[in-house]
Every structure is written in C-alpha cells, then in structure tokens.
Amino acid sequence: MKKIIFYALAAMAVLSGFAFGPKTLKRKLFSNKASSWISYEGKHPLHSWKAVCREVDCVVTYDEDEAKLETVAISAKVMAFDSRNTNRDSHALEALEALTYPKINFTSAQLSRNESNLIINGSLNFHGVTKPMSITTKTYTEGNTIRVEGAFPVKLSEFKVERPSLLFVKVEDEITIHFSFTFRTQ
C-alpha cells in the first residue's frame, strides 16, 4: 500500500512540474492600453491616409527565466480604427463588412530571434480569411517594460476585401499595418 501511495505522489509531482529541478516561470502579460496601438496606411492616387486603433488587446506568454516572449495573440476591433475622417471611416467599415467581420486577430505559432529582431510566425484572420504571416519586429527593454514594434504589408485582395474607390479609381491593393505594444514584466 505504501508503494502505491509513493508512486501516486511521485506521478502527481511529475505531472505538476515540481518533481525534479526548478520550474520555469511563465506568465501572461497584457499590453498597456494607454501606450499600445495598431494602425494601417492606405493610398489612393489622390491622397494617402492613416487610421489608428487604440482598442486593441494583445497578450503574450513571457518566460521570466529566459526573459523572452514565447507566444503572442492580438485582437483589434474593426470599428475602432479612426482616420479622423468619418466619411472615409464609414466607407472603410462598409468595404470591410465590419458587422459581419468585427475583429482582426493574429495568433503566433512560433517566435524566433534573428540578430536584434524578433520574428513572429503565425496566422492573421482578417475579413473572414486566415492566412499565414511572418512579421519581423523590434523589441526594446527598458527596466521592467518591454516594447514590441513593427510593420508588415497586407494585400486587401488576398483577404477578399472589395477595395473602395474615389472618382471611379480604387484604393491601392496593399496597405501597411504598423503596431506598437508595451508590456510590464513586474
């Protein structure tokens, strides 16, 4: 009977991660909403514009022992992008079918380092279409704050977005997504 109890306790210790050696401390960190944002830049032959979204959620898994990010998940509300032109924003919401596809989501599959860059491979879900995406970012650590910044192109046609037009000329197919997220490690 003592043997069975010993094996049961040993199995529970192994399964819980406390059995042998130190446990790696991993925590979820949520981005600071006051200083985090995502934006897109669009172009038309007559003008270009930028729309910013500050209602974006970003959570990362942070390995405290290694002081590194391991996973990333981002979600932004389509209706929260503001270009400071309500007419343009309402047309964008129509083109993006914001009521049908209210969010843009990104989830990482793998993070790796290349010199001073953090490369995030994952999936972008936009306008009901999910595509693999590789994003090269810069990370900055200042005390107990981590900032992750980057940019990447997105072709609207790849996500089945009907491009809006002005004077019968459509906006360019490629937009550029920019982002900046800050996290506190303590």
Side-chain angles (χ1 to χ4, degrees):
M1 181 67 160
K2 287 182 182 180
K3 242 183 190 178
I4 293 173
I5 293 173
F6 172 76
Y7 287 126
L9 290 174
M12 287 190 321
V14 169
L15 291 174
S16 66
F18 293 113
F20 307 103
K23 182 178 179 184
T24 301
L25 186 55
K26 297 180 184 182
R27 292 188 303 133
K28 287 185 179 180
L29 303 178
F30 296 88
S31 61
N32 179 331
K33 292 218 181 232
S35 59
S36 298
W37 52 268
I38 186 169
S39 70
Y40 75 89
E41 291 180 359
K43 294 180 183 171
H44 183 274
L46 297 178
H47 69 286
S48 60
W49 69 96
K50 179 179 182 177
V52 179
C53 175
R54 296 193 181 277
E55 292 183 42
V56 59
D57 295 311
C58 181
V59 62
V60 297
T61 304
Y62 179 70
D63 182 329
E64 287 188 351
D65 293 338
E66 300 285 326
K68 69 177 185 176
L69 303 177
E70 291 191 336
T71 63
V72 177
I74 303 167
S75 183
K77 295 177 184 175
V78 173
M79 289 187 183
F81 282 87
D82 183 7
S83 71
R84 302 208 180 266
N85 180 316
T86 56
N87 190 36
R88 178 176 38 238
D89 291 342
S90 66
H91 282 98
L93 294 176
E94 287 176 30
L96 297 175
E97 299 176 272
L99 294 176
T100 305
Y101 309 108
K103 292 193 176 200
I104 302 165
N105 297 304
F106 177 84
T107 54
S108 67
Q110 177 187 19
L111 279 69
S112 59
R113 290 223 166 258
N114 177 3
E115 298 173 13
S116 63
N117 297 324
L118 176 66
I119 300 153
I120 304 172
N121 294 305
S123 298
L124 177 66
N125 180 281
F126 173 50
H127 196 248
V129 177
T130 302
K131 294 235 173 234
M133 188 75 55
S134 182
I135 303 168
T136 301
T137 69
K138 293 281 188 191
T139 57
Y140 306 93
T141 304
E142 301 159 6
N144 61 357
T145 301
I146 299 172
R147 188 178 62 212
V148 180
E149 296 180 345
F152 59 96
V154 170
K155 289 193 176 194
L156 297 172
S157 60
E158 290 181 355
F159 290 91
K160 299 181 181 170
V161 174
E162 181 65 35
R163 294 182 291 149
S165 60
L166 175 65
L167 300 173
F168 305 106
V169 178
K170 291 186 179 207
V171 300
E172 289 187 11
D173 188 30
E174 188 173 282
I175 60 173
T176 303
I177 308 294
H178 296 267
F179 58 88
S180 178
F181 297 106
T182 57
F183 306 90
R184 293 191 50 89
T185 59
Q186 293 181 13

